[in-house]
Every structure is written in C-alpha cells, then in structure tokens.
C-alpha cells in the first residue's frame, strides 16, 4: 500500500523531478484533460469528486510517510488544481497550455485564500485546497484569455 500511495501522490513519479516538482507534477493533468475534455458534466463531476477525495487521502498518507505534510514529492494536488482550471472546457492545445501557465502562476503566488490554506492546514485537505483555490483563479484567467483572444 505504501508504494501505491507514493506512486499516486507523485503522479506516477513526476513529483521526483530534481527541480520544479510541482511544475512536472502538473504535466500529468494535460493527458487527463485530453481524455476527459469531451466528457459530459454528469460524468465529469462524480469522477472529479472521487479524484478530489482520493487526493485528500493520498496527500495525507504520503505526508505521513515522508514526515512532512506538504513534501515536494507530493504533486497529486497539482493534478487536481490543474483539472479545476480546465474543468468543463473542451480539449484544445490552447486551453491545455494556457491552463498550465495560469495554474502554475497562481499556484506559485498563492493569492488568498490559497496562501492561508497552504500555511494553516497541514494535512491532506490543506495540501489540496490551496491548489483548488489556485485552480479557481486560473480557471477565471484561462476563460478570460480564451475569450479575449478568441482561442476557445
């Protein structure tokens, strides 16, 4: 079970990148967006909800294994945050890459309440919630960018 937790929490090993593990971990979201971009809302919502609760548990369990609640190798939260960014959009390279850019930007700068979640909730839920907050900001920025530049 330990190996499975570490595998999932690192997005199949992407979290073990020697630098910018969060950026590498976010890359796992692009093929998932490709696969789910055409899903109807009634399939996307329960699937995302299941992934969300799985990520709470996996991030918490991995933090206990590593001895650090938000260890850099834990990047399942980046996957969830990126998927929030692109949720309900149809697949396109412009949406995928701009979503990646916006999500990484908001995840790095952590505007409120993301920073509060990151600093005050030191368990699996907190690890994931700051990325969900960043994903919401990124989703708004992505949709505005797609609309302004008529890319979507």
């Amino acid at each position: 079970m330990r190996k499975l937790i570490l595998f999932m929490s690192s997005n199949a090993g992407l979290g073990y990148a020697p630098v910018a593990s969060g950026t590498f971990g976010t890359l796992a979201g692009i093929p998932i967006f490709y696969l789910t971009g055409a899903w109807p809302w009634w399939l996307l919502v329960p699937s995302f909800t299941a992934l969300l609760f799985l990520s709470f548990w996996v991030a918490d369990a991995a933090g206990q294994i590593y001895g650090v609640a938000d260890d850099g190798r834990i990047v399942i939260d980046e996957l969830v945050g990126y998927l929030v960014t692109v949720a309900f959009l149809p697949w396109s390279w412009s949406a995928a890459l701009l979503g990646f850019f916006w999500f990484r930007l908001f995840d790095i700068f952590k505007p409120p309440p993301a920073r509060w979640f990151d600093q005050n909730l030191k368990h699996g839920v907190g690890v994931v919630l700051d990325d969900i907050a960043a994903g919401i900001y990124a989703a708004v920025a992505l949709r505005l960018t797609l609309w302004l530049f008529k890319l979507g």
Side-chain angles (χ1 to χ4, degrees):
M1 184 61 92
R2 176 185 164 99
K3 286 183 181 182
L4 180 62
I5 289 167
L6 297 180
F7 180 78
M8 288 189 300
S9 72
S10 69
N11 288 344
L14 292 172
Y16 290 99
V19 294
S21 61
T23 299
F24 279 94
T26 304
L27 289 173
I30 293 174
I32 293 173
F33 175 37
Y34 175 79
L35 294 172
T36 62
W39 286 11
W41 70 267
W42 53 265
L43 182 57
L44 191 63
V45 170
S47 298
F48 178 80
T49 303
L51 176 63
L52 177 64
F53 284 100
L54 176 70
S55 71
F56 290 156
W57 176 75
V58 166
D60 190 60
Q64 291 177 27
I65 291 168
Y66 291 129
V68 177
D70 198 1
D71 187 272
R73 295 168 284 193
I74 301 170
V75 292
I76 193 169
D77 51 325
E78 271 77 16
L79 170 63
V80 170
Y82 175 79
L83 293 176
V84 166
T85 302
V86 297
F88 306 111
L89 289 175
W91 162 262
S92 72
W93 276 110
S94 55
L97 297 177
L98 285 167
F100 183 88
F101 166 78
W102 283 118
F103 173 69
R104 290 307 304 143
L105 185 73
F106 285 108
D107 189 35
I108 290 166
F109 288 107
K110 297 193 186 314
R115 184 172 306 277
W116 187 89
F117 292 137
D118 183 56
Q119 294 174 344
N120 295 292
L121 299 178
K122 295 298 181 185
H123 46 71
V125 173
V127 168
V128 176
L129 282 180
D130 79 281
D131 292 271
I132 290 174
I136 292 169
Y137 281 111
V140 172
L142 172 60
R143 282 153 177 81
L144 283 172
T145 304
L146 292 171
W147 177 74
L148 284 172
F149 294 99
K150 301 192 183 353
L151 298 170

